[in-house]
Amino acid sequence: LRDQLDKTNQYETIQAYLENLAPEERATDTLYDERLEICKSCDMLLEAMCRSCGCYVELRAAVAKNYCPKKKW
């Protein structure tokens, strides 16, 4: 989804958050990838953000306990 983020520091901020996420809170790599694939095909995705809730989908997908506001995952 990096290509959907503008050229500011948003991508770096997201990556910093992901790198600092506690291991016990983090979704497995497989689950994270599955979630992002669903988000990529969703009509609510706009520039790496969910138009349903306003989150950056990479951040929501990275936390194991999170869920899609449209219940797609």
Side-chain angles (χ1 to χ4, degrees):
L1 297 173
R2 180 180 185 171
D3 58 325
Q4 292 190 20
L5 292 173
D6 64 28
K7 302 301 180 195
T8 65
N9 67 348
Q10 290 174 328
Y11 180 78
E12 288 79 16
T13 301
I14 289 171
Q15 292 308 307
Y17 173 85
L18 295 174
E19 290 170 11
N20 290 305
L21 191 60
E24 63 273 8
E25 295 178 8
R26 182 182 296 274
T28 65
D29 289 343
T30 301
L31 181 59
Y32 177 72
D33 291 341
E34 288 172 358
R35 289 174 169 182
L36 288 183
E37 285 304 311
I38 293 168
C39 291
K40 286 178 187 178
S41 66
C42 182
D43 61 348
M44 296 303 290
L45 183 67
L46 178 65
E47 297 180 5
M49 291 181 69
C50 175
R51 292 185 299 149
S52 180
C53 69
C55 78
Y56 283 107
V57 296
E58 289 188 64
L59 301 181
R60 181 179 291 275
V63 178
K65 70 177 183 175
N66 284 350
Y67 57 90
C68 169
K70 291 292 189 179
K71 303 200 183 339
K72 294 185 177 188
W73 51 260

